[in-house]
Amino acid sequence: MSEQAIIARYFSRHSAGGSVEVGIGDDGAVVRPPENSRLVITSDTLNEGIHFESGCLPEHLGHKALAVSLSDLAAMGAAPLWATLNLSLLETEHDWLEGFSRGLFALADRYGVRIVGGDLARGPLSISVQAIGYLESGSMLTRSNAMPGDLICVSGTIGDAALGLRLRSCAQGHDISGADQEYFALRLDRPEPRVDIGLGIRVCASAAIDVSDGLLRDVQQVASMSKVGACINIEQIPLSEAMQKQLKTDKDWNVVLSGGEDYELVFTVHPEHRATIHEISEKTGCPISLIGQITRGSGIELLRAGRGFPMPGQLGFDHFV
């Protein structure tokens, strides 16, 4: 099957129309952003053997490839509009392509994202998605505006995806029930981008980031770019019931504090916005938890029951460390 035939069969489900004047099939897409808006552009790459294993279900992979970029848009308070896909394949596997495209388009359709172009090439399996969203005039979230006294909040639960990755890579988990192992694996393979929360908090949050490289590493990024410090109460970090069963020693907390892959949002707000955050949580159906506070100075302090808690050896994931 030719390159054009593969694209037509699996990736041309979104035709031109609405904000898309020219879509897939030409040398480039022509799109119209909303009036008086600013565009936010982000991209992520997933490589086989680094970001996912060969046995990963293609439908999950299609979902995750788009979800991680939508998560970046959510952290900026941007509404998603369009996406492009660059896909490298060693060979044409129709079952794989069908599953991958099904997962990709299911998530795209849920958030009104139009797939408008990209590239298909032969080579080791690699997936790059560029997502484009928009900001209404005057609204924007960055990592650099947290202020001393701001509350640190996080959506969802933390650590599940990282434990799913650990179980998959080291084949340990004999003391974890099959249902809990399946839950951890699903949290790793099908992260939920918090688009609705990102759109909600942009009216009140001072800074935000998505939790992709580890909770502590990502909080540190906000603190460093804002030139402040942070204090986190670990007993306030939201945990799933499955994760609560696994925390038996201080060392077990490392997967929660520095594991990554959650794609939840961690953000800072002035204390006067507590009620607004509660309303956003109720409206979106996603729990939002207060886990600490921004402080003067620098660095991160961990507390448990009012006493210091040891920092992990690594704060999170880095491709080149």
Side-chain angles (χ1 to χ4, degrees):
M1 180 176 284
S2 69
E3 176 183 345
Q4 288 74 22
I6 293 173
I7 293 172
R9 180 170 177 178
Y10 296 108
F11 300 108
S12 295
R13 303 182 192 184
H14 290 164
S15 58
S19 66
V20 181
E21 294 186 9
V22 178
I24 289 177
D26 220 304
D27 288 315
V30 180
V31 295
R32 288 193 311 273
E35 189 174 358
N36 297 322
S37 65
R38 291 168 293 168
L39 295 183
V40 179
I41 304 170
T42 186
S43 63
D44 286 278
T45 297
L46 304 180
N47 291 321
E48 185 176 27
I50 302 294
H51 303 97
F52 63 92
E53 299 301 323
S54 58
C56 184
L57 291 176
E59 185 170 351
H60 290 174
L61 198 52
H63 172 101
K64 186 170 185 176
L66 179 59
V68 298
S69 288
L70 294 187
S71 181
D72 286 333
L73 293 183
M76 301 288 290
L81 285 172
W82 313 296
T84 62
L85 168 69
N86 289 349
L87 180 62
S88 172
L89 296 168
L90 280 174
E91 56 187 346
T92 303
E93 295 183 19
H94 293 288
D95 287 345
W96 190 95
L97 284 163
E98 176 59 37
F100 177 85
S101 60
R102 184 169 58 248
L104 174 75
F105 280 96
L107 185 62
D109 291 343
R110 180 143 60 93
Y111 287 106
V113 177
R114 305 282 294 280
I115 309 298
V116 297
D119 186 47
L120 181 64
R122 183 179 293 276
L125 182 56
S126 180
I127 307 154
S128 292
V129 169
Q130 179 185 69
I132 305 163
Y134 76 97
L135 296 166
E136 295 177 349
S137 180
S139 65
M140 178 170 60
L141 292 174
T142 67
R143 303 175 180 182
S144 58
N145 291 316
M147 300 291 291
D150 282 353
L151 307 176
I152 304 172
C153 302
V154 68
S155 66
T157 58
I158 299 297
D160 298 320
L163 186 52
L165 178 61
R166 179 176 295 183
L167 292 173
R168 183 170 295 169
S169 60
C170 67
Q172 294 178 355
H174 56 276
D175 59 341
I176 302 177
S177 72
D180 284 351
Q181 291 194 49
E182 184 177 348
Y183 167 77
F184 292 133
L186 200 61
R187 288 277 288 160
L188 172 66
D189 293 337
R190 293 183 66 90
E192 183 60 39
R194 301 302 186 183
V195 174
D196 293 338
I197 289 180
L199 293 176
I201 66 173
R202 66 184 178 184
V203 301
C204 60
S206 52
I209 190 172
D210 69 330
V211 185
S212 55
D213 295 327
L215 178 63
L216 293 186
R217 180 175 176 81
D218 291 320
V219 169
Q220 183 191 50
Q221 296 238 34
V222 169
S224 176
M225 293 186 69
S226 299
K227 297 180 173 56
V228 293
C231 180
I232 295 176
N233 298 291
I234 69 165
E235 69 267 29
Q236 294 178 355
I237 296 173
L239 305 173
S240 65
E241 291 184 9
M243 176 60 73
Q244 291 175 37
K245 301 174 189 176
Q246 306 308 316
L247 301 182
K248 300 178 177 66
T249 68
D250 287 355
K251 188 176 180 180
D252 293 334
W253 277 90
N254 289 356
V255 72
V256 173
L257 296 171
S258 58
E261 293 285 323
D262 294 301
Y263 295 101
E264 298 292 348
L265 294 185
V266 60
F267 57 94
T268 59
V269 295
H270 191 276
E272 67 183 8
H273 295 302
R274 283 178 183 262
T276 302
I277 296 305
H278 178 73
E279 291 171 5
I280 293 169
S281 176
E282 290 289 313
K283 182 178 180 180
T284 61
C286 178
I288 298 176
S289 303
L290 165 63
I291 63 170
Q293 195 163 27
I294 295 296
T295 61
R296 298 187 183 278
S298 61
I300 300 177
E301 179 185 16
L302 296 181
L303 297 177
R304 182 167 66 179
R307 307 181 69 174
F309 187 84
M311 295 286 287
Q314 289 186 324
L315 297 186
F317 176 76
D318 188 311
H319 273 283
F320 300 101
V321 174

